[in-house]
Amino acid sequence: MTVASPGQGVLRVDLGAIVANWRDLGARHGAPCAGVVKADGYGVGAAPVARALRDAGCTTFFVAHLTEGLALREALGQGPAIVVLNGFPPGAAGDAALWPVLNSLGDVEAHSAAGRADGTARPALLHLDTGMARLGLDAREQRALAEDRGRLAGLDLRYVMTHFACADEPMHPLNARQAARFAEAAARIAPGVPRSLANSSGIFLGGGFASDLARPGCALYGINPTPEAPNPMRQVVRLEVPVLQLRQVEADDTVGYGASWTAPGPRMLATVAAGYADGYLRSLSGRSHALLRGRIVPLTGRVSMDLTIFDVTDMPDIRPGEMVTLVGGEGNTPDDIAARCGTIGYEILTSLGARYARAHVGGA
Ligand SMILES: *Cc1c(COP(=O)(O)O)cnc(C)c1O
């Protein structure tokens, strides 16, 4: 746990809640779940999250970049498998349990050739695109591989995977279409290879979307994987920032950049030590609030880079140093805040920034 310096915010991360969410997802999936910890564990800290999940029995982790994979290996030591979603060249210095995702026929060729050259089959995951059109072998590449499976010689395929575009919309017809395309292609290209299908939302789509390894990310961190229904996950983060200054304003005084807010009468305002550089998005200006002593305090004026102003008129005994809950609490989750400014909880979490003390509590 880092110690907050005066004037600094604290991001509290409940590792016990993350572990409970991971266990809950595994029970729902009825098969193992990996832990997706890309982008520094969705902004809350990849190393402490992965250590807590490893201690709870998680054996496979997903990151996006090779550099994230190497850093995670340092944090976890030998043992857990670390999968790099964006892949890496066969010559990259990794280790036997750091596996690339092969996202194209070119990736397949490079890694299989390296495996054939030195007689050591390269462990890897094979990604078949079935409707996301982002990464993964497209339909034409899949046909080519199905016709010549010899191209896989030199590879030790651990999983064959795909990724759903609309798993958070259970009624979307693309879900079933992707599952069918994947079943057909995986049977032709990689029969007998374990399969990895669902992200967080996919786990909630039911049996047809189960596989040998689910890849939940957002739901571990408390984001709702079923946006059309109440959130079944436990909340994980709480961002508290100190009040730096209090000031009395009078009717017609304007507040903040652009003078976008005018006091309708005498008001007590609290300036707190966080702004858009800390992930409290500027687009929240005029449409957000925080919690102070469990009560709602409305945001006034524009969010600036390092500072935000809240109306605390109803709470006259507030003093500098008191902590305001910017993220977390009733009606103030990352999903709630995202809804106020037209984005998704993922973006709020991954934007949180580096200027807070991070306090990771609990665990397996
Ligand atoms: C990010 C990612 C996941 C995790 O998705 P969530 O929606 O956060 O659960 C799973 N698989 C792939 C390929 C991803 O890129």
Side-chain angles (χ1 to χ4, degrees), residues 153-239:
L155 295 174
D156 172 13
L157 289 185
R158 298 304 173 97
Y159 293 94
V160 56
M161 62 174 272
T162 196
H163 189 50
F164 292 102
C166 306
D168 57 343
E169 297 174 57
M171 301 315 288
H172 201 292
L174 189 53
N175 292 322
R177 224 180 303 149
Q178 284 195 260
R181 282 179 191 152
F182 179 72
E184 196 257 339
R188 281 189 299 135
I189 295 168
V193 174
R195 297 176 181 190
S196 176
L197 277 178
N199 67 345
S200 299
S201 297
I203 291 171
F204 292 81
L205 288 176
F209 298 85
S211 67
D212 301 292
L213 184 71
R215 304 185 307 272
C218 75
L220 297 175
Y221 308 99
I223 289 175
N224 188 358
T226 58
E228 294 171 10
N231 191 348
M233 311 316 298
R234 287 213 212 166
Q235 284 305 306
V236 166
V237 296
R238 190 175 191 88
L239 173 60

Side-chain angles (χ1 to χ4, degrees), residues 102-110 137 140-142 144-145 151:
L102 309 179
N103 285 308
S104 68
L105 212 44
D107 286 351
V108 168
E109 265 151 22
L137 277 71
R140 187 187 50 78
E141 292 180 309
Q142 291 172 30
L145 199 50
R151 295 163 102 155

Side-chain angles (χ1 to χ4, degrees), residues 74-334:
E74 289 281 306
L76 289 179
Q78 297 307 311
I82 299 172
V83 184
V84 178
L85 286 164
N86 291 4
F88 55 77
D95 62 58
L98 188 67
W99 304 336
V101 172
L102 309 179
N103 285 308
S104 68
L105 212 44
D107 286 351
V108 168
E109 265 151 22
H111 286 267
S112 65
R116 286 194 299 267
D118 62 10
T120 313
R122 293 291 196 277
L125 278 70
L126 181 66
H127 184 183
L128 306 179
D129 177 44
T130 55
M132 183 77 179
R134 188 175 67 166
L135 290 176
L137 277 71
D138 64 22
R140 187 187 50 78
E141 292 180 309
Q142 291 172 30
R143 276 195 299 277
L145 199 50
E147 278 159 24
D148 181 8
R149 288 184 33 223
R151 295 163 102 155
L152 295 170
L155 295 174
D156 172 13
L157 289 185
R158 298 304 173 97
Y159 293 94
V160 56
M161 62 174 272
T162 196
H163 189 50
F164 292 102
C166 306
D168 57 343
E169 297 174 57
M171 301 315 288
H172 201 292
L174 189 53
N175 292 322
R177 224 180 303 149
Q178 284 195 260
R181 282 179 191 152
F182 179 72
E184 196 257 339
R188 281 189 299 135
I189 295 168
V193 174
R195 297 176 181 190
S196 176
L197 277 178
N199 67 345
S200 299
S201 297
I203 291 171
F204 292 81
L205 288 176
F209 298 85
S211 67
D212 301 292
L213 184 71
R215 304 185 307 272
C218 75
L220 297 175
Y221 308 99
I223 289 175
N224 188 358
T226 58
E228 294 171 10
N231 191 348
M233 311 316 298
R234 287 213 212 166
Q235 284 305 306
V236 166
V237 296
R238 190 175 191 88
L239 173 60
E240 295 175 341
V241 297
V243 173
L244 294 179
Q245 229 183 56
L246 290 149
R247 78 179 53 235
Q248 174 80 39
V249 295
E250 305 303 333
D252 299 331
D253 284 350
T254 62
V255 171
Y257 283 122
S260 67
W261 190 82
T262 304
R267 283 289 187 278
M268 183 63 78
L269 303 182
T271 303
V272 310
Y276 58 75
D278 304 291
Y280 201 67
L281 304 186
R282 187 170 177 277
S283 52
L284 288 165
S285 301
R287 56 183 61 170
S288 192
H289 59 257
L291 298 178
L292 182 51
R293 298 182 187 170
R295 287 168 63 184
I296 288 175
V297 287
L299 193 161
T300 56
R302 289 205 181 134
V303 177
S304 47
M305 187 183 297
D306 321 295
L307 299 167
T308 305
I309 304 165
F310 293 95
D311 185 343
V312 298
T313 306
D314 297 340
M315 312 178 77
D317 59 337
I318 299 298
R319 296 286 172 268
E322 180 138 0
M323 297 302 258
V324 171
T325 303
L326 219 51
V327 180
E330 182 69 29
N332 203 39
T333 66

